Amino acid sequence: MTDERDPPEIPLEPFQVYRPESPFPPLDDGLPSGARDPCSDGNQPAEAHDLPTRENRLVALGRFAFPPAPPLDDDGLAARDRRWAGRTILVSAAFLLVFNAVSPLNWSRQQAPSWLQGTVQQISGVWVGQLAVFGVDMPRQGVREAWMAAREMRFTGQEPAPPAP
């Protein structure tokens, strides 16, 4: 009895090393030498862009029915940029209002007591409660819990983390 294993029956190479002869012979062997196609590079001045092209009838009709608008001037470009910026700000504000609704509530709790602070706290509390019904606050809570768990992690022998605020 030896400590060596028997050699495997199947070779361990990652790719097949034996390639059987192809049952399909090459096509060039059976053709006479004059029957081959001439090389297309023999016609030097010919280019693919010289070929006649035909425009699609629907494209032509669309260009006739709906001609392209003239290019915008500086005022038109500025108005388009303002619309884009306004829409971007509006979408961002709506996203934050839904998915980060607890921030105004936390902000109002840190302020000195006043009429504005109380009003913001009450409105924010109702808004957070309404959104919690739909589970919109769950991603924010998951990220916060992951952050708190990572914050409390310590190396072996290290003193425990200070209490969370």
Side-chain angles (χ1 to χ4, degrees), residues 25 35 46 88-89 91 119 124 165:
T88 303
I89 291 171
V91 168
T119 304
S124 297

Side-chain angles (χ1 to χ4, degrees), residues 55-67:
E55 187 178 30
N56 187 346
R57 291 182 182 174
L58 284 176
V59 172
L61 179 64
R63 190 171 34 260
F64 174 73
F66 305 104

Side-chain angles (χ1 to χ4, degrees), residues 26-80:
L27 294 176
D28 293 341
D29 291 346
L31 297 176
S33 61
R36 294 185 184 184
D37 289 335
C39 181
S40 61
D41 293 339
N43 191 359
Q44 293 296 332
E47 289 188 23
H49 299 289
D50 294 338
L51 297 174
T53 58
R54 184 173 174 201
E55 187 178 30
N56 187 346
R57 291 182 182 174
L58 284 176
V59 172
L61 179 64
R63 190 171 34 260
F64 174 73
F66 305 104
L72 295 175
D73 58 348
D74 290 340
D75 292 337
L77 289 173
R80 183 181 66 186

Side-chain angles (χ1 to χ4, degrees), residues 8-9 19 23 27 29 32 34 41 67 77 94 97 104-105 113-115 145 164:
E9 296 176 8
R19 293 195 177 120
L27 294 176
D29 291 346
D41 293 339
L77 289 173
L97 189 63
L105 182 63
S114 68
W115 177 84
E145 289 171 3

Side-chain angles (χ1 to χ4, degrees), residues 146-165:
W147 163 248
M148 295 305 282
R151 189 171 171 254
E152 292 175 1
M153 294 175 97
R154 295 290 178 225
F155 289 107
T156 304
Q158 190 176 8
E159 60 189 43

Side-chain angles (χ1 to χ4, degrees), residues 88-132:
T88 303
I89 291 171
L90 183 67
V91 168
S92 301
F95 183 83
L96 289 175
L97 189 63
V98 171
F99 290 104
N100 201 17
V102 76
S103 290
L105 182 63
N106 291 339
W107 174 83
S108 66
R109 290 177 179 162
Q110 296 172 359
Q111 301 304 314
S114 68
W115 177 84
L116 178 65
Q117 178 268 342
T119 304
V120 169
Q121 187 172 359
Q122 288 177 353
I123 292 173
S124 297
V126 171
W127 180 247
V128 168
Q130 291 294 325
L131 290 178

